[in-house]
Amino acid sequence: MSIFKYIFWVLYRIWFYILVALPILIMFPILLISILKESWYPFFFKLARFWARFILMGMGFRPLIEREQTPEKGKSYMFIANHTSMTDIMLMLVSVKNPFVFVGKKELAKIPLFGFFYKRTCILVDRNSAKSRQAVFLRAQRRLKTGVSICIFPEGGVPEEHIELDDFKDGAFRLAINHKIPVVPLTFADNKKRFSYIFFSGGPGKMRVKVHKFLATEHLTVEDTKALNQAARQVILRQLQVYNK
């Protein structure tokens, strides 16, 4: 492999972090104001969507979004997707207009600038702590009651490169059933190819997204959690297999 490709990949990674930080620096005062009250979160969410679109455009990524069903304005949902890349956060923000709160790993709060707003607007979880997972459940319940949606990557982290789709954790589905909100599965087809966690990889190109038909929870009970989990996973897995043909 040529030295030019390695140089490109190094510069490409540096450029990504510049794009992450630049709009946060420029919009810092207004971002700071937007997180002062929980009721102002929808405005913060609009700024976050602009930030996400700015990054994807700047990286040369082209989202191609196909929707089987569209979330209704003013309703709450549980958004889930497969997790393969740091760009999953940005692509989810671009793909969904309904204000939602991410449930994500606490380690991301250590990222300069991004982490400052991440830990103040998202629900952080220490996946090695049962107490932390329980606290996440209670915080998510409170945010759902304010009318926003929740977004969880149910694999619980980014799987190893050879794993197409890891097993899903039950938390997202239990929450959805408890609050009788639809589960909205999304399949991200190209994020691993565009910008994976392998340093020397990636490049501009399309990012295909499939927003699937919602999985209803109105008539489900907690005993149906595992079945809902498996149904959602199968929807995403089948779409990944279609994309990879």
Side-chain angles (χ1 to χ4, degrees), residues 9-195:
W9 282 324
V10 170
L11 294 176
Y12 200 55
R13 294 274 159 168
I14 294 171
W15 178 237
F16 174 77
Y17 289 109
I18 290 173
L19 290 174
V20 168
L22 189 61
I24 296 176
L25 283 170
I26 293 171
M27 298 190 298
F28 193 86
I30 193 167
L31 284 168
L32 200 57
I33 292 169
S34 71
I35 64 172
L36 292 178
K37 286 187 178 180
E38 199 169 275
S39 59
W40 294 348
Y41 183 79
F43 176 62
F44 172 84
F45 185 79
K46 288 182 180 179
L47 297 176
R49 292 192 77 226
F50 168 80
W51 168 81
R53 196 174 293 278
F54 177 85
I55 294 168
L56 296 185
M57 287 179 60
M59 293 294 289
F61 300 146
R62 185 164 47 92
L64 301 174
I65 304 168
E66 179 187 352
R67 293 182 173 88
E68 291 185 335
Q69 196 170 349
T70 302
E72 294 180 38
K73 188 177 180 180
K75 287 195 174 183
S76 294
Y77 299 87
M78 175 63 69
F79 297 102
I80 65 165
N82 54 311
H83 198 13
T84 59
S85 167
M86 285 183 279
T87 60
D88 294 343
I89 292 174
M90 295 85 183
L91 191 58
M92 183 65 81
L93 285 165
V94 168
S95 302
V96 176
K97 294 181 180 179
N98 293 52
F100 63 79
V101 175
F102 277 112
V103 174
K105 55 187 179 181
K106 67 173 188 175
E107 289 81 3
L108 293 180
K110 298 176 183 177
I111 300 174
L113 278 179
F114 170 81
F116 177 84
F117 291 100
Y118 175 79
K119 66 185 177 184
R120 287 166 175 80
T121 57
C122 300
I123 300 171
L124 276 56
V125 58
D126 178 356
R127 300 193 188 276
N128 297 317
S129 166
K131 186 178 179 181
S132 174
R133 292 196 299 271
Q134 181 61 29
V136 164
F137 198 76
L138 295 173
R139 287 189 65 195
Q141 286 182 320
R142 184 170 62 81
R143 296 306 293 270
L144 282 168
K145 288 176 181 176
T146 68
V148 300
S149 298
I150 298 291
C151 175
I152 297 178
F153 295 108
E155 290 168 279
V158 176
E160 295 179 19
E161 287 291 311
H162 67 280
I163 298 175
E164 187 171 36
L165 186 67
D166 213 342
D167 292 337
F168 285 179
K169 311 295 183 188
D170 284 337
F173 308 100
R174 192 163 60 249
L175 263 173
I177 289 172
N178 282 350
H179 290 271
K180 304 302 179 188
I181 58 173
V183 173
V184 183
L186 290 86
T187 302
F188 295 161
D190 307 296
N191 293 16
K192 186 185 291 187
K193 188 188 304 179
R194 298 279 79 84
F195 201 80

Side-chain angles (χ1 to χ4, degrees), residues 217-242:
T217 61
E218 291 96 334
H219 305 297
L220 302 183
T221 66
V222 176
E223 284 71 29
D224 299 308
T225 298
K226 187 60 71 176
L228 180 61
N229 177 327
Q230 292 301 315
R233 186 177 182 276
Q234 282 303 310
V235 166
I236 293 175
L237 183 58
R238 282 196 297 268
Q239 189 61 44
L240 285 173
Q241 291 167 349
V242 169

